[in-house]
Amino acid sequence: MEGAYDEIISDNPFFIQFKNEYSNLLQHCISQSWIICVPRIGSLNTRVFTVEDFCAHVLVPSDELPETHYSTLTEKQVTVANKVITLEVTKGLPLQSHILFEETFYTEDYIKYKVWCVETPLEPNTNVGDCAITKDYLLSINDCIDLLWTQAAGRQVLDQIELNVQQFLKKHSPLPIALAPLRDAISELYTQCLQSTLQNRRLREKCKVSKHLLENIKLSVECYMQHLLFDSLFKPICTICAYEDSHLNKKIRNMCDIQLRDLDIKKELYHAVPKAKQILSKIVTYNTVLEKVLCLKQALNAINKKDNSNNVVLLTADDLLPVFVFLLIKSSIPNWYSQLKYMKEFRFSEVGNGDCDESAFLITTLEAVIEHIQSGALAGPPNPESYYYESNLTEDNLNDNGQRKNSLTESISTCDTNSREETLEYVFDLIKANNSEQVQYLLEKNQRHLQSLQQNERSAVKFAENQDDDDDEDDDEEYETEIYQKLCHPLCSCKKCCSKISKNLLKTSPTVSSRDSHGLTPLHIASIHGKANIVEILIDMGAKINATDLNECTPLHYAASRGHQNALLLLLHSGASINQANIDKNTPLHLAVNNGHMNCIKALIYFAEHGRKNLKINCTNEHGNTPLHLAAKWGYEGIAKLLIENGAEPSLQNHNNKTAFDYAHNLKILQVLKLSTPNLYEYIHITSTEVKTLNCKTDNPVTLKLQSLKTRNNETNNVTKTVENLKRLERIFQAISYGDVKLACFYMNIKYENYANTNITTDRLSCHPLCECQLCKKTHQTISDYDINFADSNGLTALHYAARYGLDELCKILLLNNANINSSNRKGQTPLHLAALNNKIMVIRFLLDNGANINAIDLSGNTPLHDACEVGNIGATKMLLNYNPNLNMINGSEKSAIEVAKEKLHLTIIDLIEKHTNKIK
Amino acid sequence: MSSAPSGTHNFKVVLLGEGCVGKTSILLRYIEDKFNDKHLTTLQATFLNKKLNINGKRINLSIWDTAGQEKFHALGPIYYRNSNGAILVYDITDEDSFGKVKNWVKELKKMLGSDIVLVIAGNKVDLEHERTVPLEEAESYAKMVGAKHFYTSAKLNQGVEELFLELTREMVERFEQNSQTEVNRTSRVLVVEDEAPTQSSCCSGSRSN
């Protein structure tokens, strides 16, 4: 594993001296296959050793327990357990030393002897050299940061790496969307980071002494770099791997009901699977390759543990692969391929070692597993139903599977109650074998039998009343005679005849509406296996179209989830309910999307369109996910596109407050989602929290409306209106920033001319609420379809912008159109704040004249006066003071306005405020 | 193939062979005399590292166990790429497993040329009385493809040590040869082509699975 201790033993002074000066002793040790311990370089501060020193480091295996018990040549008893040597000493605690690694030496005549590199000398009272070695393994990003921090004695190295990464991101924005250039760019950055790290003199000196440290430093630098870079780096990787990921996801989704036994996994390993699954699912939470690989290793170790009866379960590759396949399928991580590529291609510190460490092995294992799933070898024959068929088998009927298949072709002669022909399973098997004629024959026969039984009851009564009345039973003539001929007499009640009749009553022949233990009807089975002709037959025979099984799934659910378009269409045309939810509140559309069956989604949409059915495209399942959430999560680009074209709304939140945008893990999907909101690049960055704050502005009528719209999911029109408003807002803001009032008014559908020539007195808005004078009329005239108080994702309204850019004319117009003068943006700032910040004196006066709250506070507790003092806007301060603000208000850092000014040394302002206070007094 | 600046050779070795021929047992036997059974809990039986020092040359062996079941056959290339050596294991009591070895040899030669050092191991010699793979056939085949042949018994600890030692020596030799001159590959490739027709029937049989 990475970071394990290593040194060249032949260069160790202890070993060199042993070899050169006591070669006879060494030869003897070799011939006796005694183990030689070598204290790691640097653990001994002396360079002169006596013969006792060497003897103390030769371990002679004991006769009884040669594996664990040894004695040194100095007659000390030594035990070895779990890579730790324990040396008994005469007084005090036993001495312990870790075995860092073992190296097997061969002499020129290929005689083998073993050398253990130990952490500390095996002698009491020796002066231990330098401080203990650095951590043996780097296990997390924290270890890496720790190492860089302590070894460089401060955070300058970390800062340097941060700086490098920032510069890199500035320079390479956006990052290339192809693996080779991306990898090369990052590799260059890594070299840069390493260079700047080793410029630290302290580190350089230390690394010169210890190669081990150098390796660890390299690894740490890589980790820290990846840690900083991950967010910007992983998206492009996902985008590069988008195609592979979505294909893998489709394969995995369609296998998601696979069971352990289907994969030939050893029974002893079953118990370890949940734990391993839990560990492996954490892989997405790690940012660095080191941690991701470690996560793989831990998952593997979890499988590798002892079983219930405490026996060691040894995993061979044959056992390991199926377990990993299972874990991958069940993990519900949508970007395994990207994870693999990241781990494989962005490990720079190990490049020199080729494929020779355990990390490489683990990554290769993951690659092999993905390849195995991709290859389709798992699904067996190409048609999915055969796979389902296999996976449905329990262990008990696994054996008679072959025999049963054979029996399908044989004609069955006997007809007793327990005959195979009479079981539902047999009918199911016939359906799976696509034997439509036989199915039809059997079910029809049983149906007739059932009908006749019912009629028998009735006729038996009739019989007694009216013996001649036979005409009614013409239909069942054949069957009647069949039974009654067997009886001694039609009315006989002897033992034999009674049992014959009761046998008939006890018959449990399957019919078209029979169900198995899972509540599956023949129609379900036919839909699962996509046998369109049988589906047709069953429907004709009156099968219940919307019958639900244990999971409340209808045949339509199965046809959709298995991707059987023909069966799906047949069911739809026969009146299957298109929006039926199963136990998880999944509609057939959900299932089809989840499993990536484009053909079925198209069929559903097409049918709904032409059959004038209302397909709920934004329907939510138990977790609040719409089909679009699923498509985004699994990276089905084409499907997402199709859904959006048909009115799916990407901004809907699920129960975790996540939108489809949040689930999209690559740019391609994002691009598709963006389709619904053309030209609005900003919208993409709106995360769910921002959507929420948008919704929370209850004083804002449009967002209120928007909120109520969101609950009514189907009204896509209204949502797109919001989007249009956002687009328009963007244009308005642009116009304002140019200072073009006319253009801004045009965008807002306000007639600028109406206001251009009028001399509005600044101290009143209209003469009277009901005034009908020319001026007031004009004000109310303009009924804009654009809401003046509409705010963008930062909570900025047009008035905010007008205030910021000092357009007092526009402010007037906006206020005349009922703009909210005290609306606050996301930071809690009112337009007055912005005017104060930007020293727009005219606007300040206008706003204050029209009722703006002079003591309004933003989220950090600042009043407009605080802001003006902070920035040092003399004019703004003067103007604000004219309107008697509360000078004693303190902001979030408990400072009044004058204190802020003092802090910033704005002398004029301090003077102004002091004068004002004196005046008041 | 790869070498750290310090002169330590890093070699990757894959174990190939049909399931149940004892690949894992050989691997465990080789490593086992390092630590006793109790330590096996912490060992991965699928990946093991061993440091060797032969005549002052440091070698770091990474030994990869591979899946032997037929359904995983297609994953072979993922495992054996970049490897310096391959140990092809068969069971001397199972003729099919020897056929599988021949397949592997062909595939390896085709994909990796002569970059890879091959060693063939006839395992389970403790079951000598049940032998079905003729001794001469195995040895002559190994000679033909330029591989060393060993008889091993993981159970009795026979030949395992020798097998790995020989493989390592050969890999070091090959590495040094490679770094000095271009190897003459043609002769080795030709050997494969010579024996290809005789193997065709058995290959096609297993490929179709």
Side-chain angles (χ1 to χ4, degrees), chain A residues 75 103 163 165 183 207 308 459 600 740 770 846 882 896:
Chain A
E75 304 290 323
E103 189 158 329
L163 191 73
V165 169
R183 190 181 185 282
C207 287
N308 294 330
S459 60
C600 286
D740 195 336
L770 297 175
F846 175 76
N882 287 341
S896 68

Side-chain angles (χ1 to χ4, degrees), chain A residues 478-508:
Chain A
E478 187 193 335
Y479 192 77
E480 288 287 285
T481 48
E482 201 181 298
I483 297 174
Y484 287 94
Q485 269 167 7
K486 287 179 189 162
L487 303 182
C488 323
H489 178 270
L491 292 175
C492 172
S493 58
C494 76
K495 218 177 180 180
K496 221 168 147 191
C497 294
C498 272
S499 85
K500 260 181 195 165
I501 288 175
S502 92
K503 231 180 205 169
N504 235 322
L505 288 170
L506 283 173
K507 228 176 177 180
T508 53

Side-chain angles (χ1 to χ4, degrees), chain A residues 31 151 169 194 221 233 250 262 320 322 389 406 409 461 473 557 607 617 641 676 687 691 712 737 756 826 902-903:
Chain A
S31 61
Q151 294 300 324
L169 285 178
L194 207 58
V221 169
L233 178 59
K250 185 170 175 182
D262 305 325
L320 179 76
Y389 180 54
N406 290 336
T409 48
V461 184
E473 281 133 59
H557 277 105
F607 177 81
I617 207 139
K641 209 169 182 173
S676 66
T687 62
V691 170
R712 277 184 288 141
S737 66
R826 266 180 71 196
K902 275 177 182 164
E903 194 177 86

Side-chain angles (χ1 to χ4, degrees), chain A residues 584-634:
Chain A
D584 304 318
K585 302 270 176 291
N586 280 315
T587 63
L589 184 64
H590 276 106
L591 297 180
V593 171
N594 194 46
N595 290 355
H597 296 302
M598 185 76 154
N599 53 352
C600 286
I601 300 163
K602 277 184 178 159
L604 283 166
I605 290 174
Y606 181 86
F607 177 81
E609 223 167 72
H610 289 259
R612 302 193 184 282
K613 290 259 166 56
N614 178 18
L615 176 65
K616 292 183 186 161
I617 207 139
N618 286 317
C619 190
T620 55
N621 67 10
E622 200 179 34
H623 306 290
N625 288 325
T626 64
L628 189 61
H629 275 101
L630 301 175
K633 183 171 180 192
W634 303 123

